C-alpha cells in the first residue's frame, strides 16, 4: 500500500509573488510535470473548486479529478486527487535571496484507495519504482518552474528534460518518506 510521503524543495531567485504567479496557474501544470498532460480548473480557483486532469506514463493515460484543499495566495496551493486521496501541494516561503518552493505528495494514514493501489501495482510498475518516479518527477517539476521564473525569455521546450544536478533525492524507508532538496 502506498504510504510514502514525497517532498522536494528548491530555492528560487524571485519573490513569493513571482513564484505564486506560476504555481497558482494549475492549467500550466503540463508544462512542468512529466506525468500531468492536462489540468483543467472548473470555475474560479478557490478552496473547494475542482479540476479535471489527465496523467500519462509512457503510452498509458488515465483521468483523475481533484478538489482544491488549500488556497492561500502567495503562500500555498494544495489539491486532493479524488481517485486516490493523495494531496499534492506547493508551499512558498520567503528567503533572504528570494523564495523556497516546496512540492509535496501527502498520503493519508490509511493509504491510497484500493483501485489506485491496484493500478500502481499492476499497470504502473509497482509501489517503490512508481514512488521513485514521482519523487524524480517532482524534482524535475521544481527545476522547470525555477527556470521559467528566473529565465522567462529562454525558449525551452516544456517537455524537455531539465538538469537538476543541484537537487538530491533522499528516501527514508523506515519513515515512509521521500525527500529531495536543491
Amino acid at each position: 500500500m502506498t504510504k510514502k510521503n514525497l517532498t522536494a524543495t528548491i530555492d528560487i531567485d524571485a519573490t513569493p509573488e513571482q513564484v505564486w504567479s506560476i504555481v497558482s496557474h494549475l492549467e500550466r501544470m503540463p508544462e512542468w510535470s512529466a506525468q500531468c498532460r492536462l489540468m483543467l480548473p472548473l470555475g474560479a480557483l478557490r478552496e473547494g473548486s475542482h479540476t479535471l486532469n489527465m496523467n500519462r506514463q509512457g503510452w498509458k493515460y488515465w483521468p483523475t479529478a481533484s478538489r482544491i484543499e488549500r488556497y492561500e495566495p502567495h503562500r500555498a496551493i494544495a489539491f486532493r486527487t479524488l481517485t486516490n486521496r493523495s494531496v499534492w501541494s506547493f508551499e512558498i516561503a520567503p528567503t533572504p535571496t528570494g523564495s523556497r518552493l516546496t512540492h509535496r505528495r501527502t498520503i493519508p494514514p490509511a493509504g491510497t484507495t484500493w483501485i489506485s493501489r491496484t493500478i500502481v501495482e499492476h499497470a504502473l510498475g509497482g509501489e517503490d519504482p512508481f514512488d521513485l518516479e514521482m519523487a524524480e518527477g517532482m524534482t524535475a517539476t521544481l527545476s522547470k518552474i525555477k527556470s521559467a521564473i528566473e529565465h522567462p525569455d529562454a525558449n525551452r521546450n516544456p517537455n524537455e528534460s531539465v538538469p537538476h544536478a543541484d537537487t538530491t533525492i533522499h528516501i527514508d524507508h523506515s519513515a515512509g518518506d521521500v525527500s529531495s532538496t536543491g
Side-chain angles (χ1 to χ4, degrees):
M1 172 182 328
T2 297
K3 285 191 173 182
K4 290 187 182 91
N5 294 318
L6 309 176
T7 303
T9 302
I10 199 163
D11 288 334
I12 301 175
D13 294 331
T15 66
E17 293 78 14
Q18 290 170 304
V19 176
W20 176 257
S21 73
I22 296 290
V23 299
S24 65
H25 288 278
L26 296 180
E27 66 277 2
R28 293 189 67 186
M29 192 64 66
E31 293 177 47
W32 324 125
S33 170
Q35 187 179 84
C36 179
R37 302 311 341 128
L38 172 73
M39 190 163 203
L40 179 64
L42 302 176
L45 206 54
R46 58 178 173 71
E47 282 187 35
S49 64
H50 291 82
T51 67
L52 294 177
N53 318 306
M54 182 63 71
N55 291 338
R56 175 189 64 84
Q57 182 195 57
W59 56 270
K60 299 166 273 200
Y61 286 81
W62 64 98
T64 67
S66 299
R67 182 181 57 244
I68 305 301
E69 299 271 313
R70 185 174 173 198
Y71 186 83
E72 298 175 40
H74 313 293
R75 295 189 52 199
I77 188 165
F79 51 92
R80 180 177 303 278
T81 304
L82 301 177
T83 50
N84 69 14
R85 298 190 295 248
S86 64
V87 176
W88 292 86
S89 63
F90 290 96
E91 295 175 351
I92 306 163
T95 66
T97 60
S99 301
R100 177 162 295 132
L101 181 60
T102 301
H103 187 18
R104 287 191 173 88
R105 180 194 74 177
T106 306
I107 302 295
T112 57
T113 61
W114 172 84
I115 191 68
S116 178
R117 292 189 308 268
T118 302
I119 290 169
V120 166
E121 185 60 35
H122 298 290
L124 300 177
E127 179 183 333
D128 288 338
F130 186 71
D131 284 347
L132 183 58
E133 180 182 335
M134 293 294 94
E136 290 171 346
M138 291 166 65
T139 300
T141 294
L142 292 182
S143 293
K144 288 178 182 180
I145 291 170
K146 175 183 174 86
S147 179
I149 294 169
E150 293 180 355
H151 309 288
D153 297 329
N155 291 321
R156 183 178 301 282
N157 176 344
N159 296 315
E160 177 182 300
S161 177
V162 176
H164 45 274
D166 60 340
T167 304
T168 4
I169 297 171
H170 303 282
I171 302 174
D172 182 353
H173 293 283
S174 63
D177 291 340
V178 179
S179 299
S180 69
T181 57

